[in-house]
Amino acid sequence: LTQGRSHTMSSTTKKSDDQQQVDLLSLPLDQLQQLQQSWQLDLKQLTQGLQQLHAAQDRFKGSQNALKLVSKSKKGTKGLIPLTGALYLPGDIGNVDDVLVDIGTGYFVQKDTQGANDVLQRRIDAIVENMERIQTAVQEKQTFVQLCARAIRVKQQQQQFVSQRLSQQKRQGA
């Protein structure tokens, strides 16, 4: 419903390969409210996932920057060596041509700095791709939540109108 023109408020949800449309105005108010809560929860989870991907992307970019700094260093340079995100130990930089790269689940491989940078860039690219997909889903869910909110307002207005009409009829009949 927009500015005096009546439109069907519908939601499209994927069910296998075919799409199913539901006229939101045909649903009872309590079901609309449950649907809205469900979509809001989905939206919250998607948003949290997006934030986690942003954090991962930042970590990998930080690793790329650290790799650049290490590759510019000279053998024997003293510095703090990260053991974890919060624990650093003093040490000397040894071989700057080869580094250990975390390839997941606690496994590391030795790579030259270019190979390590390529691994990090592939991970960043994969994260960006996932972020784009999730962002599309977030926008879709936001639209669903807005449509549902409009349908709820329409239903509440209809109930209020019916209630007022019944009240007027009772007064006139009395």
Side-chain angles (χ1 to χ4, degrees):
L1 215 56
T2 56
Q3 299 181 356
R5 286 194 252 151
S6 178
H7 295 288
T8 303
M9 288 189 203
S10 63
S11 161
T12 304
T13 56
K14 286 250 183 197
K15 227 180 193 181
S16 64
D17 286 338
D18 49 317
Q19 293 186 348
Q20 177 183 357
Q21 282 200 345
V22 177
D23 181 6
L24 293 177
L25 292 175
S26 69
L27 299 175
L29 184 59
D30 61 334
Q31 198 173 359
L32 276 173
Q33 290 168 333
Q34 289 173 352
L35 190 59
Q36 184 183 34
Q37 287 175 346
S38 173
W39 284 340
Q40 286 172 331
L41 179 62
D42 290 347
L43 184 59
K44 182 179 178 182
Q45 290 171 340
L46 287 169
T47 303
Q48 288 171 344
L50 199 54
Q51 290 170 347
Q52 290 170 349
L53 286 173
H54 273 292
Q57 180 186 31
D58 290 343
R59 284 192 305 273
F60 285 122
K61 285 183 177 181
S63 294
Q64 277 185 320
N65 290 334
L67 183 62
K68 286 178 190 173
L69 289 173
V70 167
S71 66
K72 291 178 184 177
S73 300
K74 293 181 182 175
K75 186 175 181 176
T77 303
K78 294 195 180 299
L80 293 174
I81 310 302
L83 292 182
T84 67
L87 179 62
Y88 293 82
L89 292 177
D92 298 335
I93 294 179
N95 182 359
V96 294
D97 297 324
D98 294 316
V99 294
L100 290 178
V101 179
D102 181 359
I103 58 170
T105 62
Y107 289 97
F108 294 82
V109 294
Q110 188 170 343
K111 293 271 189 183
D112 63 11
T113 52
Q114 183 58 48
N117 190 57
D118 291 345
V119 169
L120 293 170
Q121 190 59 52
R122 281 193 303 273
R123 286 187 163 183
I124 290 169
D125 292 344
I127 287 171
V128 167
E129 185 179 313
N130 285 332
M131 287 170 45
E132 289 170 353
R133 279 189 296 201
I134 290 175
Q135 186 60 43
T136 300
V138 164
Q139 291 170 345
E140 185 177 280
K141 287 292 180 185
Q142 286 173 333
T143 300
F144 289 164
V145 168
Q146 290 169 354
L147 285 172
C148 201
R150 286 182 193 157
I152 288 171
R153 281 194 302 273
V154 167
K155 287 284 190 177
Q156 288 171 335
Q157 289 171 351
Q158 287 174 345
Q159 285 180 346
Q160 186 179 16
F161 178 76
V162 168
S163 176
Q164 288 173 349
R165 293 291 279 182
L166 288 174
S167 181
Q168 286 176 352
Q169 288 175 352
K170 284 182 184 177
R171 278 186 262 149
Q172 290 174 352

